[in-house]
Amino acid sequence: MLAIDAAILEAIVAHARRDHPDEACGVVAGPVGSDEPARHIPMENAARSMTFYEFDSHEYLRVWREMDDLDEEAVIIYHSHTATEAYPSRTDISFAGWPQSHYLLVSTREPEVTEVRSFRIVDGTVSEEQVRVVNATVDSMAVQSYMFGQSPATVDYECRA
Amino acid sequence: MAIDVRVPTILRSYTDGQKAVEATGDTIAELLTDLDAKYPGLLARLVTDDGALHRFVNVYVNDEDVRFLGALDAKLGDGDTVTILPAVAGGAVLGGAVAGGAAALS
């Protein structure tokens, strides 16, 4: 299961909407071993494409070194699909090189509803996992316009505030 | 000369779990050959059968991507650090061209 702060999820979706119809990509770093996505880092899509994304190789090295220095790792690696569902393509699976990361996919094909799904991709095998949004506040009910991979009943909102 | 090589998680099964290893070579090609002698199987994960750097991997000398330094011919000097990272890429495109790549790094 992926537990993600509502504000970070909103920032990811905003990034995907901003770059639409090109694919957007980025990471959310968190302390090593914590499985807690804490620091959102939007990345440049070096491919600048509607059907492909690739981290800029220099930005990638810089961001990964910075995470290393801060004892962080990439808890989430996300990208958007802008005309298809939020499910890993064959290309996504071919490239997936971080088995400990959550691969979050966002589909912006529908203007009003954003599809958000999360996966583990290990040795070419895709496993979907539940997404739990934490810290959703009453006035950020925009969250309700997200459609997750599972039925709405399995989406658990936890308000810590 | 000894070059410090940073190995990503997905390839550490080849390096007995080590995050950083040492190898020698005057070029990336020589370095990877030396690495493969110490950690058999690693080379095939980084270089294609045709002898080119794999599409699924980024290799850096210090801060520079070796694709801008002559790829496998990139020169190495004393005190250089080589970093290997799996390329982060993908997208909605249906790509027969890259199918089967997961096996390249895992």
Side-chain angles (χ1 to χ4, degrees):
Chain A
M1 185 195 70
L2 169 66
I4 183 170
D5 190 277
I8 292 176
L9 181 60
E10 281 182 38
I12 290 171
V13 171
H15 179 205
R17 287 288 172 198
R18 197 163 60 237
D19 285 8
H20 184 92
D22 283 351
E23 295 196 3
C25 56
V27 296
V28 186
V32 170
S34 70
D35 203 30
E36 287 179 11
R39 189 166 66 92
H40 174 217
I41 310 164
M43 304 277 285
E44 185 183 330
N45 176 3
R48 294 182 187 280
S49 161
M50 296 190 285
T51 53
F52 195 73
Y53 82 97
E54 179 159 24
F55 282 5
D56 171 80
S57 67
H58 295 110
E59 183 182 33
Y60 178 23
L61 181 66
R62 183 172 54 73
V63 166
W64 249 248
R65 277 198 184 142
E66 188 177 73
M67 287 195 293
D68 230 19
D69 291 344
L70 296 170
D71 290 319
E72 291 177 332
E73 62 188 352
V75 179
I76 293 173
I77 296 174
Y78 71 87
H79 76 280
S80 64
H81 286 174
T82 57
T84 56
E85 65 176 337
Y87 192 88
S89 66
R90 277 173 61 189
T91 317
D92 294 334
I93 298 164
S94 298
F95 274 97
W98 292 102
Q100 78 281 28
S101 297
H102 300 271
Y103 280 85
L104 189 78
L105 275 85
V106 173
S107 173
T108 54
R109 63 179 164 176
E110 301 288 343
E112 302 297 331
V113 179
T114 305
E115 194 185 342
V116 179
R117 298 169 76 174
S118 183
F119 306 85
R120 296 283 191 172
I121 308 177
V122 181
D123 290 338
T125 301
V126 176
S127 319
E128 183 158 11
E129 59 186 359
Q130 188 183 334
V131 176
R132 193 179 63 150
V133 180
V134 298
N135 287 335
T137 55
V138 174
D139 58 358
S140 71
M141 293 306 274
V143 164
Q144 286 190 337
S145 67
Y146 299 162
M147 187 174 76
F148 295 91
Q150 300 81 22
S151 67
T154 66
V155 178
D156 177 15
Y157 292 95
E158 178 184 283
C159 299
R160 287 187 196 151
Chain B
M1 69 199 76
I3 305 284
D4 187 35
V5 183
R6 302 300 173 97
V7 181
T9 321
I10 197 166
L11 294 177
R12 287 180 202 159
S13 54
Y14 292 95
T15 58
D16 309 319
Q18 295 178 85
K19 187 177 177 178
V21 296
E22 277 198 353
T24 59
D26 292 331
T27 63
I28 286 289
E30 288 180 20
L31 180 89
L32 297 183
T33 302
D34 185 55
L35 267 184
D36 196 62
K38 291 172 176 155
Y39 308 105
L42 201 51
L43 187 66
R45 300 293 169 247
L46 304 173
V47 175
T48 65
D49 292 343
D50 301 332
L53 196 62
H54 236 296
R55 176 75 182 88
F56 300 96
V57 70
N58 291 4
V59 178
Y60 304 86
V61 177
N62 304 321
D63 296 334
E64 189 55 276
D65 188 326
V66 299
R67 289 190 174 90
F68 301 105
L69 297 172
L72 292 173
D73 297 328
K75 297 274 187 293
L76 294 171
D78 230 358
D80 282 345
T81 298
V82 170
T83 305
I84 303 169
L85 292 175
V88 178
V93 67
L94 295 171
V98 290
L105 281 177
S106 57

